[in-house]
Amino acid sequence: MSNFGFGSHSSDDRNDDSGDDHQGNNGQGGNGNQGNGGDRGDNGRGNNGDNPFGFFFNLGNMGNMSSPGNGPQWTNGRGDASGAGGIGGGSFGDILNQFGAMLSGFGNDMNSADADSPVNYSLSERIARQHIGDAPRPKESDSRAVAESVRLAELWLDEVTDLPAGATSSVAFGPVQWLEETLPTWKRVIDPLADKLGDATLGNMPEEVRGTLGPLEGVFRKVNSMNFGSQLGRTLGEMAKDVVLATQWGMPLAKGTTAAIATGHLKSMSDKLGAEERDTLIYLAAREAAHHRLFQHVPWLTERLILDVKEFAAGLTLDNSAMDEATSEFNPEMLNDPAALQDMIGRLQGQDLTPKVVSSNDQARERLETSLSLVEGWVDYVVGDALSARMPNAAMLGAAWSSFRNNGSPAMDGLTEAVGISLTAPKANEAAELWRRLGEAVGNERRDSVWNHPDFLPVAKDLDNPAEFISRIKFDEDEIGEFNPVSEIEKLEREINQGKKDNPGEDNEDGIS
């Protein structure tokens, strides 16, 4: 699974795309897994209503698990919801039976190969496939249309950037293929966050409780891993059904050099952008091709983004101040005063008491968001510049895409809230303006050379006030432009020779010339 390499169209050939068969097999595999999930007691159909990452956050809401928007809906061995009302419905005996059915589904997943990792990815992939369901397969004509659009976009991009083409092939992809190709990178992004969140969640338990856990702590960690896995699976399933580009979030989630577009969303995306499908496909192809130019020819960029996530995770903790403040109002005397107790409960209703994810390394979050904004802003500008002379609606497409991006994805927003760090580009518009002004001041070649080293890139404050950054780059260019190494060497030699003529004895301690 790499390079979107199943039937991808090389930039040099027009062979038929055989990726349809692969996509179809994966889709069937997803259905097969779904059936197996029923046999195994699938336990991961969580909704996004509460914080999806952190099993212990939900222990207090165990009685509401079956309600829409209240977290995981566990299923019994038949693969359907346990009981008519799920956990919390019926008599106390029913609740115990349902809880037992829920636990019986843990067995296989708790003993899977991923059970001891921060996230149970076997469970994630299975649930994501179930969520995707019977996704339509791309057609051969879709991949040919993508290949033609990418080739056209590459020609236009050549005129506005000195970074050479980075995509060596292209493909129309479907949700299952996106899941398979991006899951390895998601593991790299999520693992450090999930690991620290698991530690922080256990650390949140009262000391006297942790002291009595003993061997059960390992069980709790496995349960936490499963909860991460189930909710991540649902999130990735949602994203897979909505994603339109392999590089949509400014990070190369799929390895390789294949430009990939989800043509199944072309009509809906055309409606969102207010353009014809052909123009929309060319615009998407240009964005995908521009991303590949950047990531293929700026080799340190991907690792820089991953390292920022890891640094943020290293300082991750949970802020319980909302819960602490709420519980501080309680005192035992309220148990004898129903009115006071009811009044306190009334004030707490509707408040979000979920622990908040924070990090002592918040500068890493800012650096990541700045880097993603610079990537997306650069793509925004060079794509707009490349298309402006050829597509009358290029500016409209760019503005519509910006609005679409800024409105966010519910699945990505849920992931962001859960792990405390955003994988979006919050200041892409400001970054695009910086790249525009920089290009006008120093030219495209000097503009793109800023990507040569991370120390050359703008920082967060430069996005709000780019004038100083642009002046610095322009000053450095002027200094470099005036410096001629050959002339400087010749000038230095003349000065040395002149000095010898003026002081003929200075090379000789005895003064003999």
Side-chain angles (χ1 to χ4, degrees):
M1 296 183 301
S2 64
N3 198 33
F4 276 101
F6 300 97
S8 60
H9 277 253
S10 168
S11 57
D12 298 323
D13 69 64
R14 294 172 177 263
N15 294 331
D16 287 342
D17 182 9
S18 59
D20 297 354
D21 295 335
H22 169 72
Q23 184 69 28
N25 292 336
N26 285 333
Q28 292 166 6
N31 293 339
N33 285 338
Q34 187 171 3
N36 294 336
D39 295 336
R40 295 171 55 184
D42 190 9
N43 50 28
R45 298 176 183 239
N47 292 314
N48 294 329
D50 56 9
N51 191 323
F53 293 89
F55 175 80
F56 303 108
F57 297 169
N58 296 326
L59 290 179
N61 295 324
M62 190 73 78
N64 295 322
M65 273 187 166
S66 65
S67 302
N70 279 316
Q73 294 182 16
W74 310 100
T75 61
N76 59 22
R78 298 184 305 276
D80 56 356
S82 302
I87 294 178
S91 66
F92 183 68
D94 292 333
I95 294 175
L96 291 179
N97 288 334
Q98 293 156 19
F99 188 67
M102 178 188 79
L103 292 178
S104 69
F106 281 2
N108 290 328
D109 288 317
M110 289 190 71
N111 293 316
S112 69
D114 294 326
D116 293 322
S117 66
V119 180
N120 191 318
Y121 289 106
S122 299
L123 183 60
S124 294
E125 185 170 2
R126 178 158 53 84
I127 291 174
R129 288 178 181 274
Q130 291 172 354
H131 198 70
I132 291 169
D134 294 325
R137 298 178 298 173
K139 301 175 182 177
E140 293 181 10
S141 58
D142 294 331
S143 285
R144 285 196 296 270
V146 169
E148 292 168 2
S149 298
V150 169
R151 279 194 289 269
L152 182 62
E154 295 283 26
L155 292 174
W156 295 350
L157 288 169
D158 282 339
E159 299 179 9
V160 297
T161 175
D162 287 335
L163 294 181
T168 58
S169 56
S170 62
V171 72
F173 71 90
V176 174
Q177 191 179 10
W178 179 86
L179 175 68
E180 291 179 342
E181 296 290 342
T182 62
L183 192 56
T185 302
W186 282 118
K187 290 180 181 180
R188 295 189 65 198
V189 172
I190 296 297
D191 262 350
L193 296 164
D195 190 29
K196 290 295 291 185
L197 273 176
D199 291 342
T201 302
L202 281 170
N204 258 9
M205 301 177 71
E207 191 62 36
E208 57 272 19
V209 175
R210 289 203 64 185
T212 62
L213 284 179
L216 288 177
E217 182 170 331
V219 176
F220 275 95
R221 288 189 180 278
K222 288 188 176 184
V223 172
N224 216 21
S225 172
M226 288 175 58
N227 185 66
F228 267 90
S230 65
Q231 298 295 347
L232 178 62
R234 182 176 179 85
T235 298
L236 293 181
E238 290 277 3
M239 294 171 70
K241 293 194 298 184
D242 294 334
V243 66
V244 293
L245 296 174
T247 56
Q248 183 162 328
W249 287 285
M251 181 182 287
L253 294 172
K255 295 181 179 179
T257 57
T258 299
I261 299 174
T263 51
H265 300 316
L266 192 56
K267 185 180 185 307
S268 62
M269 183 54 60
S270 297
D271 293 339
K272 292 174 183 175
L273 299 184
E276 297 293 330
E277 290 186 24
R278 179 181 180 277
D279 288 350
T280 298
L281 182 57
I282 292 174
Y283 180 77
L284 296 177
R287 292 196 66 87
E288 183 75 354
H291 276 106
H292 277 282
R293 287 180 181 238
L294 198 54
F295 283 108
Q296 292 304 315
H297 300 291
V298 184
W300 54 265
L301 186 52
T302 300
E303 289 305 313
R304 161 75 176 265
L305 298 174
I306 299 293
L307 286 174
D308 285 340
V309 174
K310 290 182 177 180
E311 183 179 338
F312 176 85
L316 190 149
T317 57
L318 295 173
D319 178 8
N320 293 291
S321 57
M323 175 64 78
D324 292 341
E325 184 178 349
T327 55
S328 66
E329 299 184 27
F330 176 79
N331 66 74
E333 295 180 0
M334 287 184 176
L335 297 176
N336 299 320
D337 188 352
L341 187 60
Q342 186 65 34
D343 181 60
M344 186 193 75
I345 294 173
R347 290 196 304 274
L348 295 181
Q349 283 182 345
Q351 293 188 30
D352 182 9
L353 304 181
T354 304
K356 300 297 185 292
V357 179
V358 295
S359 175
S360 58
N361 297 336
D362 198 55
Q363 73 278 2
R365 175 196 58 78
E366 181 181 84
R367 195 163 55 241
L368 175 67
E369 292 180 357
T370 299
S371 296
L372 291 172
S373 295
L374 290 170
V375 169
E376 286 297 280
W378 185 86
V379 170
D380 284 355
Y381 178 66
V382 298
V383 168
D385 196 18
L387 302 185
S388 60
R390 298 169 175 86
M391 294 174 58
N393 58 348
M396 181 270 294
L397 280 166
W401 177 268
S402 177
S403 176
F404 165 74
R405 178 180 56 211
N406 293 342
N407 287 334
S409 159
M412 179 62 81
D413 291 345
L415 182 64
T416 299
E417 181 179 355
V419 298
I421 193 167
S422 174
L423 299 181
T424 58
K427 290 194 172 183
N429 294 344
E430 291 87 341
E433 177 63 11
L434 181 149
W435 293 122
R436 181 190 69 79
R437 292 175 58 182
L438 181 61
E440 291 178 352
V442 300
N444 293 346
E445 181 180 2
R446 183 72 179 99
R447 177 200 67 200
D448 293 343
S449 70
V450 171
W451 291 103
N452 287 345
H453 193 278
D455 290 346
F456 297 165
L457 284 179
V459 295
K461 66 178 183 179
D462 294 325
L463 297 182
D464 296 320
N465 184 21
E468 182 179 348
F469 174 79
I470 294 171
S471 296
R472 185 166 68 250
I473 296 297
K474 192 172 188 309
F475 174 79
D476 292 343
E477 182 191 46
D478 291 342
E479 289 291 303
I480 293 172
E482 293 173 0
F483 180 78
N484 186 321
V486 176
S487 299
E488 291 296 319
I489 293 173
E490 292 174 348
K491 178 182 177 182
L492 182 60
E493 288 178 343
R494 287 195 300 270
E495 292 176 349
I496 293 174
N497 291 332
Q498 185 64 42
K500 288 180 178 179
K501 291 180 181 178
D502 294 340
N503 302 285
E506 68 176 0
D507 292 338
N508 190 317
E509 290 184 355
D510 296 326
I512 301 173
S513 58

